[in-house]
Amino acid sequence: MSTLAMFNKLKDQGVECEVTCFDKQEQPGGLWNVTWRTGTDEFGEPVHCSQYRDLFSHGPKECLEFPDYTFDDHFGKPIPSCPPRDVLIDYLRGYWKFQGLKKEDVLTRHMVKNVSFDDKTATFTVQARNLVQGLDVEQEFDRLIIASGHFSVPNVPHFEGIETFEGRAMHSHNLRNAREFTGKRILVIGSSFSAEDITLQLFKFGAEQITISYRTDRLDFKWPGKIHKVPLLIKIEGKTCHFKDGTSGDYDAIILCTGYKHHFPFLPSELSLPNGNIFNQPNLYRNAQWYGVTEGKKDASSGLFYLGMTNQFYSYTMFIMQGLWAASVIKDIIQTPEREDCVEDMERRYAENANLTDCFKMIDSQADYMKQLSVDLNYTEILDTVELYYRWVQDKHDDIMTYRDNHVGGNN
Ligand code: NAP
Ligand code: MG
């Protein structure tokens, strides 16, 4: 939607572009559209919703708001820093309207089935299924932008004995409502944002006991007595879970908060971005324009773009920058360097992933990336929120149970 908005912006400046956007959902909004369904939808397609009904943003809204359309602009009054899910989707809808996007700009309920690329003509052929009518459509394009997200196909590791676990085992992707775990003993696996936030949800809705089992020890907070951490699960017998440190415990449910996979079933493998929730992608110049440098990957004459595919501290503002960058490259408003220089830059940035050993380095690195996009685009609005992110991290360490009340943006 950010990319469509940026194409609209260019159009206002007299730069025309014919854009078609396919989306499999009933309405735009990606993960912010929550459904009661899990698994398979009414058309037999995988359900891509990964959010629970009672989700509140864990990051401050001040770090994601659009400079030309603020939360104050949208709501006409100040609101807290970490709004609930429905407030965020409402804000997004307001922004799209503000950018002049209309319902017709997105072909909803269109599931892209297949993409092929012709080296000779340098064109992409896209085949999509109109899910409602059960009809196939086919169209050719000069450029292709993949913006299908990467927090929807669950990464599901196997643990010994899980097939005979005498309780419920599920992935965070399928959690819709933590109320079903009231009074229950829950084992959460993972140590990133889903593990942290689902632990807080379970606590909020009265789970009896929550154990976080980690591979990498990260959730170093002052947790209340009902919540504790153990090293990784190694084996399950009946209801009993055994951990790496020799301890064990009985549980009613296991929730795997083990992240997601980059997954593009509609693309040929030689054009598919490799999996990895990292900050600097291996095949993407400016984390956006595809150069097939990994073995088995092909170039697509610089006509292929992936947006929103990195790990994220920045989100909405990063997506508008990426959208504007891609639209500007496509319309020759900005020029990218020669292929070798792009590849060298890409590889240097990729190697930097190894240095991103704590969240401060990750925040700094992504802020630096945002600056690069601004320089390329000659973009003058200040989108840097590093100081707010640092305060947010500090607030969480001060009190993980109340950090959302701290209103890091100082709004009210
Ligand atoms: P993630 O950040 O990619 O983290 C994946 C976690 O799974 C890591 O802790 C990883 O451990 C662990 N893991 C993967 N394979 C494992 C294995 N075989 N055994 C043990 N652990 C394993 O994914 P996420 O936590 O689902 O977060 C996804 C996105 O959703 C983030 O951008 C986050 O900000 C967002 N989110 C937002 C909210 C909210 O706004 N309220 C709530 C939840 C999530 P290692 O570190 O050892 O690799
Ligand atoms: Mg989830």
Side-chain angles (χ1 to χ4, degrees):
M1 295 305 280
S2 302
T3 307
L4 293 181
M6 293 304 107
F7 272 116
N8 252 12
K9 235 186 177 117
L10 294 185
K11 197 172 166 190
D12 291 343
Q13 297 161 17
V15 184
E16 289 285 342
C17 198
E18 203 184 311
V19 185
T20 301
C21 176
F22 297 107
D23 194 305
K24 78 166 174 179
Q25 293 197 86
E26 217 172 348
Q27 55 182 347
L31 288 182
W32 295 102
N33 290 324
V34 165
T35 165
W36 57 274
R37 293 176 195 274
T38 63
T40 306
D41 74 10
E42 68 273 45
F43 300 107
E45 301 294 344
V47 171
H48 98 256
C49 172
S50 292
Q51 287 193 2
Y52 20 98
R53 198 154 280 284
D54 302 296
L55 179 139
F56 278 64
S57 174
H58 67 142
K61 74 177 196 310
E62 289 75 15
C63 292
L64 49 79
E65 81 184 337
F66 302 108
D68 49 352
Y69 187 81
T70 65
F71 281 88
D72 280 12
D73 291 338
H74 180 73
F75 290 105
K77 59 177 181 188
I79 63 161
S81 270
C82 295
R85 169 189 77 67
D86 30 5
V87 168
L88 283 168
I89 179 73
D90 197 70
Y91 171 64
L92 285 174
R93 289 188 186 123
Y95 177 69
W96 303 331
K97 208 167 157 191
F98 165 76
Q99 291 291 4
L101 295 176
K102 293 183 210 69
K103 211 170 172 286
E104 315 79 84
D105 292 330
V106 181
L107 285 172
T108 54
R109 286 301 200 200
H110 277 68
M111 174 81 179
V112 174
K113 291 285 186 189
N114 189 60
V115 171
S116 56
F117 178 70
D118 185 331
D119 288 310
K120 289 188 199 76
T121 57
T123 51
F124 298 89
T125 303
V126 175
Q127 292 165 319
R129 168 81 44 91
N130 177 330
L131 295 169
V132 176
Q133 296 175 357
L135 291 173
D136 290 336
V137 294
E138 185 175 301
Q139 209 174 322
E140 272 190 27
F141 299 96
D142 300 314
R143 302 285 187 276
L144 185 71
I145 299 174
I146 313 287
S148 52
H150 62 101
F151 291 131
S152 120
V153 174
N155 171 50
V156 190
H158 177 260
F159 292 93
E160 190 186 330
I162 199 163
E163 44 283 277
T164 49
F165 173 58
E166 289 169 12
R168 170 121 181 261
M170 65 188 287
H171 189 275
S172 59
H173 167 69
N174 290 321
L175 179 73
R176 292 286 176 273
N177 194 330
R179 286 172 176 85
E180 69 174 287
F181 299 111
T182 304
K184 302 271 198 278
R185 298 160 300 177
I186 316 298
L187 178 63
V188 166
I189 303 196
S191 57
S192 186
F193 294 111
S194 287
E196 175 187 310
D197 202 49
I198 286 170
T199 294
L200 293 172
Q201 286 275 310
L202 293 165
F203 183 88
K204 184 172 180 173
F205 293 111
E208 184 189 301
Q209 183 208 323
I210 307 142
T211 302
I212 304 169
S213 170
Y214 57 82
R215 178 168 69 182
T216 311
D217 190 4
R218 263 206 224 92
L219 302 178
D220 208 9
F221 303 113
K222 289 170 222 123
W223 296 105
K226 269 187 177 183
I227 301 171
H228 76 284
K229 288 192 309 174
V230 293
L232 196 57
L233 171 67
I234 46 168
K235 198 168 95 182
I236 304 163
E237 288 172 315
K239 269 189 180 294
T240 309
C241 295
H242 299 274
F243 306 104
K244 219 176 158 182
D245 61 354
T247 61
S248 63
D250 288 359
Y251 296 93
D252 302 306
I254 300 173
I255 306 179
L256 299 170
C257 297
T258 44
Y260 294 88
K261 283 183 164 168
H262 286 69
H263 185 63
F264 309 99
F266 49 87
L267 284 179
S269 62
E270 68 255 25
L271 297 181
S272 293
L273 185 68
N275 182 46
N277 186 25
I278 52 181
F279 284 89
N280 300 298
Q281 295 287 351
N283 293 58
L284 299 179
Y285 177 62
R286 293 287 191 260
N287 282 317
Q289 189 172 22
W290 174 261
Y291 290 100
V293 294
T294 306
E295 212 192 314
K297 305 290 173 187
K298 270 192 189 170
D299 270 4
S301 311
S302 318
L304 176 62
F305 296 80
Y306 281 91
L307 303 183
M309 291 298 164
T310 66
N311 200 344
Q312 294 156 14
F313 275 90
Y314 285 91
S315 55
Y316 298 176
T317 51
M318 185 166 73
F319 306 151
I320 55 166
M321 292 303 281
Q322 291 184 329
L324 187 58
W325 192 90
S328 303
V329 170
I330 288 170
K331 293 308 294 179
D332 276 330
I333 296 165
I334 59 171
Q335 274 73 43
T336 53
E338 292 300 312
R339 186 185 192 281
E340 310 84 82
D341 297 327
C342 291
V343 169
E344 197 189 300
D345 184 81
M346 229 161 59
E347 288 178 343
R348 189 179 49 77
R349 299 283 301 186
Y350 181 64
E352 280 171 21
N353 286 318
N355 306 328
L356 307 182
T357 45
D358 65 47
C359 64
F360 299 108
K361 290 178 183 149
M362 293 171 189
I363 292 165
D364 288 348
S365 164
Q366 200 151 57
D368 182 52
Y369 165 61
M370 291 282 282
K371 262 180 223 133
Q372 281 187 323
L373 294 177
S374 298
V375 170
D376 287 355
L377 289 163
N378 221 343
Y379 189 89
T380 50
E381 294 273 7
I382 305 294
L383 301 174
D384 186 318
T385 55
V386 167
E387 260 177 52
L388 282 179
Y389 279 123
Y390 273 41
R391 270 170 61 192
W392 171 67
V393 172
Q394 186 57 50
D395 283 345
K396 283 170 72 169
H397 278 93
D398 289 348
D399 191 347
I400 187 65
M401 307 308 288
T402 61
Y403 74 90
R404 279 182 245 237
D405 304 333
N406 277 336
H407 307 308
V408 294
N411 233 354
N412 56 354

